[in-house]
């Protein structure tokens, strides 16, 4: 089912599991998919992003991973990152994964764009390249991509390009941006748009109240993100905040650029979801001290959330 | 007393209090100084940084604010930010505030430096400009200044320039950087250096264990930072972490670029430390929703930390 | 006389002459002013820009240099660069030099601005700071300042802020930008604006035909720039191009970032306009090889333009 | 024959000829190859760079273009740009073109690298990815890639990685960099390295004297570049400079970012080397005024260099 503006809930940014020798770990891939979409209760997954080590996969591997996850996902929506330096590569990957059954694709702007018209023109060109029939997610992540899109620019993109159905919101600070976009909708100057939030979930507590539809991020406890979204929708603000606050020390720790993916994979391994926390080369490893810090955070979290009560390390 | 490498504890990054009409608020300046250095138990203050709205003060005001705080501070060390686009202006301010009794100055690199030699050369030139007799703090804040200094580069600066006595550490992630620098010291390849941590304190829990000497940041509860540093030194890890975790939702909220200063001033006003949360123009204001969010966070924090129990808003 | 939109001709970007020991060289300052505005026939000068080593002058020196040049300049217009990291410093310098008789000031955007609204807002704030009574030049120099202003953004600034009277155009490529701005004027969507071109004059041949009013740059033969502007206005395209082409090898050589100022000062010294090519520390020096290259270019240029026939060295 | 450190002369940065409807124009590709390597006398070609519109070719097209040129090139060396956001894609293209007979590949650093160790580490990883058996060219182009490599950094890369055989030098200013690298070689601290210069050839006159081995750039008169290199080697400095100066107005015009490729393709079309100046979408077109400017420059150049005497436009 193609992605549309009614999408809500949690789309997990998925890592790619590898064996310690660098080979793809398909059983872990399957187990992880089952966990995210089954046990954890997520609504979808987003794959082949930066945190999925996509640049380390060649074209054939990228398609194989996409197909495997899509076929296992059943009705849940799989979004595939297709950001690329060239429109030819973007088109090839986008058409390929849509044929394989993806729900949509995600596109981030290249980091040399520094004025509004250049940003808007880029997305026009991207849609011309991939075809206007493919639903896509606009990734707004200025800290990483160095491109600033004001609410007005986002509105121009949304109104110019009907196939843009979702915003991956990870500006920081971004609370007022959600408010501004929802105001545009309320006043009728922008059509409806799904807004899912990133940044590891570190503002998810307030983002829901500001009007977000959910989260799209890869925090190693996506089941917690699902709870936060549900509790927020049910109006249980204090319960949501209690759970969120218990996880915040870990959310913050995992949000570190560079080492964050190592932390995430380590926790997923500790939870038994993937077999190894190995990254394909080149990757950033955790030091022994960092591992101790993560274990300390897990042990404290386990007192509030049973999902973090993990068997002691051998 | 001039700053030296034995400095430790908490140096509060101080805002500059203004009246709503933009005039300097001297009584608030005095009250804030007394609070930071008396009630809160901080060891020093750092003034005229970005969060002190320094660029909105003219030369005479900058000197006047510095003198007022220095004279009120007594024996506590006052560090003055002297980062400037030109060495002539840097020298004039540095010499002026040292004559007025400052303990040292702080210098950040300009954001066009993109290789190691250029960074090291810049600090050589800065020391030549201000004079090698002025103790100074190296500010390492890559997210804001876009300059990356590896531990090796920091060591070159420290070993080349004896008047560099402290690192304001706010790289993110930065835990391994502290470890690397302390390893340099342990192995004898770098002389001792005071390391105080910034970034609103959001990693202070682990930074202390990694070898930091304390914090230099402006979180609106500096008394809590003082507690964390003390508890960490006493080896009371869990107690420190309990207190830290209670504050983390607010630390995170205040860390937002742009709106963060508005939040900080608002909380300081709510605590009765400054009279108004006004910023001199141009400044970023908080929306009513943001204010509600802060009040919500304060009310929750008040359950764990009596210092956050504030009288209800009129 | 205050600068206005009818300004045309050549405004020379002036270096600041120093003695080899770093002291200001006032006699050279006077001789240079006389040369630019008398012998060379320029219409004005622009001082205290990056190429004027402004960051190496303290506040008192900046004002003293400005006053000396302004008083010597007579009726010719002196524009003063007031770009500063803070609006308080910008205001102080702008008001000071206008009181001293400057014709206007020049402002460049800070390099963190990355969307249209942020750029426009910045100039609103700058005008609020300096006062709407001071005529100012908008400096559009994306290679140095990393801020991209499309013609549409420039139009917004010009239409919002009546005290903006001139564009210092040094985008590269920029020919189509001049055409676009003149089209805005022709169609009535933008009020008239003086456009003077920078970049060392390296596109001045075509910029005049595209609608520029002249040049604002510091090439060491400003008398040649005056000729080009005059010949272009008289419709003598081939004569202008012949002269331009003869100078182009040197224009190109002087345009090198970093070493360019050393080349410019060296040629001005060789022409007898300033006494020394010294830069105040820190500065980039020319190697002996570079000096030989410049002498070779001068000797070749001397065959086409008598002004470059200089007495042999040593 | 694999590329090695003795490479010299002119390697032309080749555009990719398209039909107006966006299809590859193979006959033009052949004619262009014959012209560059035959008539013009170039020693090699560099393909699939930014100016070759590589990002608009999909994987199959990239390989097909490479194979066609390589097989037609005979003994001349073909270098293929393999810069890619991911090492998997870089490896796949590099291995593919080497199997097809390429002489070597060219790699530029990604624009987020901001300290020396990060730059050096990147090239270690790149060589690990493509294999240490593939000779490669280090592209040093700070204006475009925003990565600054000092001579010391280049030396580290060259000494660490024996398969690095050539520097594509296009720092600006870069004359002293060539001198510094050749000094490293002379003093024995760096092994020999081929240095070919870019930037459209705008400093080729002096680069040869500084020790460059030739040019790697795409100026639409590569036959002139071949002459300059030959005359320089023969010690005919004035003859070289006379020819260079005649071309400089056009070299400068073609060097404009963005529109430069349109100018280059237009001149190649006017010279009868390619059939159409079309760029595949998205591309920057020349205005009618720009075309007139180019024709004017060509007509003037034709007086000095018969190769620029072109039949009048219909």
């Amino acid at each position: 089912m193609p992605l549309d503006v009614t999408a809500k809930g949690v789309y997990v940014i998925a890592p790619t599991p590898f064996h310690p020798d660098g080979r793809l770990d398909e059983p872990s891939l399957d187990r992880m998919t089952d966990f995210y979409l089954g046990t954890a209760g997520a609504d979808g997954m987003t794959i082949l992003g930066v945190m999925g080590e996509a640049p380390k996969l060649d074209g054939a591997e990228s398609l194989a991973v996409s197909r495997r996850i899509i076929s296992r996902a059943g009705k849940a929506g799989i979004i595939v990152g297709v950001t690329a330096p060239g429109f030819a590569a973007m088109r090839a990957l986008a058409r390929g994964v849509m044929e394989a059954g993806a729900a949509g694709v995600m596109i981030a702007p290249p980091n040399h764009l520094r004025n509004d018209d250049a940003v808007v023109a880029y997305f026009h060109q991207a849609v011309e390249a991939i075809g206007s029939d493919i639903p896509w997610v606009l990734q707004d992540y200025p800290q990483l991509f160095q491109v600033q899109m004001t609410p007005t620019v986002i509105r121009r993109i949304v109104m110019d390009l009907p196939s843009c159905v979702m915003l991956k919101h990870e500006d920081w600070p971004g609370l007022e941006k959600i408010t501004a976009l929802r105001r545009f909708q309320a006043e009728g100057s922008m059509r409806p748009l799904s807004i899912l939030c990133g940044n590891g979930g570190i503002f998810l507590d307030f983002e829901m109240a500001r009007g977000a539809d959910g989260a799209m991020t890869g925090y190693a406890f996506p089941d917690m993100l699902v709870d936060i979204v549900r509790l927020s929708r049910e109006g249980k603000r204090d319960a949501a905040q209690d759970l969120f606050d218990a996880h915040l020390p870990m959310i913050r720790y995992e949000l570190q650029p560079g080492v964050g993916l190592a932390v995430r994979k380590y926790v997923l391994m500790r939870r038994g979801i993937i077999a190894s926390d190995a990254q394909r080369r080149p990757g950033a490893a955790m030091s022994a001290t960092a591992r101790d810090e993560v274990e300390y955070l897990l042990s404290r979290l386990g007192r509030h959330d049973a999902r973090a009560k993990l068997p002691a390390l051998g």
Side-chain angles (χ1 to χ4, degrees), chain A:
Chain A
M1 258 192 337
L3 198 68
D4 66 31
V5 298
T6 65
K8 45 175 54 79
V10 174
Y11 281 66
V12 190
I13 298 282
T16 305
F18 294 104
H19 290 291
D21 62 5
R23 282 175 305 119
L24 269 172
D25 176 357
E26 281 94 353
S28 286
L29 201 61
D30 292 346
R31 198 162 55 240
M32 183 184 75
T33 305
D34 295 347
F35 170 76
Y36 284 161
L37 301 175
T39 318
D43 302 271
M45 288 165 66
T46 302
I47 62 175
L48 298 190
V50 173
M51 293 307 261
E53 299 176 67
K56 303 175 196 167
L57 302 179
D58 64 31
E61 287 176 322
S62 294
L63 263 177
V65 166
S66 302
R67 287 201 180 107
R68 190 168 192 111
I69 291 177
I70 288 165
S71 90
R72 197 161 187 103
K75 287 198 214 157
I78 304 300
I79 298 168
V80 183
V82 297
T83 301
F87 289 122
M90 185 189 292
R91 174 184 171 81
L93 184 57
R95 306 293 321 172
V97 298
M98 292 306 291
E99 273 164 37
V105 300
M106 183 161 73
I107 307 174
N111 67 6
H112 61 268
L113 303 177
R114 297 199 173 197
N115 67 69
D116 293 1
D117 291 350
V119 172
V120 174
Y122 180 82
F123 287 104
H124 274 264
Q125 293 163 357
V127 168
E128 184 183 318
I130 65 172
S132 60
D133 56 323
I134 297 185
W136 60 282
V137 181
L138 172 61
Q139 187 172 12
D140 180 23
Y141 193 3
Q143 294 130 264
L144 187 62
F145 299 116
Q146 317 249 338
V147 174
Q148 287 183 359
M149 295 187 269
T150 60
T152 309
V153 169
I154 293 171
R155 179 170 59 184
R156 280 177 64 188
I157 296 167
V158 169
M159 295 310 284
D160 283 5
L161 300 164
S163 56
C164 176
V165 297
M166 183 187 283
L167 177 70
K168 176 164 203 253
H169 166 276
E170 43 194 338
D171 198 353
W172 186 349
L175 297 177
E176 299 299 337
K177 189 177 258 187
I178 298 173
T179 297
L181 292 170
R182 290 309 189 207
R183 193 182 309 126
F184 287 162
Q185 281 183 238
E187 74 192 22
S189 70
M190 191 179 82
R191 63 177 172 78
L193 182 73
S194 173
I195 300 179
L196 300 189
C197 299
N199 271 326
I202 199 164
F203 277 100
L204 187 60
D205 46 348
F206 292 116
E207 286 163 341
M208 292 305 297
R210 293 288 189 130
D213 293 302
M216 183 190 289
T217 192
Y219 178 52
F221 290 88
D223 23 2
M224 184 281 290
L225 301 173
V226 170
D227 291 345
I228 299 288
V229 169
R230 182 180 42 79
L231 290 167
S232 297
R233 282 202 203 132
E234 295 171 1
K236 296 176 177 163
R237 184 184 197 182
D238 290 337
Q241 196 72 45
D242 287 343
L243 178 61
F244 180 85
D245 288 0
H247 278 266
L248 187 52
M250 181 63 93
I251 289 174
R252 168 227 35 180
Y253 197 95
E254 194 186 293
L255 190 58
Q256 298 176 81
V259 77
L261 177 59
V263 175
R264 181 174 295 171
K265 282 192 150 183
Y266 178 81
V267 176
L268 290 172
M269 178 184 70
R270 288 283 282 124
R271 297 188 71 185
I273 297 161
I274 61 177
S276 162
D277 62 350
Q279 293 178 42
R280 193 173 264 191
R281 293 176 55 84
M286 268 200 297
S287 66
T289 308
R291 214 150 34 225
D292 290 346
E293 290 166 347
V294 171
E295 288 292 337
Y296 179 65
L297 289 173
L298 283 172
S299 73
R300 288 179 59 87
L301 177 56
R303 287 190 251 144
H304 297 271
D305 187 332
R307 293 170 290 203
K309 264 189 201 136
L310 304 175
L313 284 171

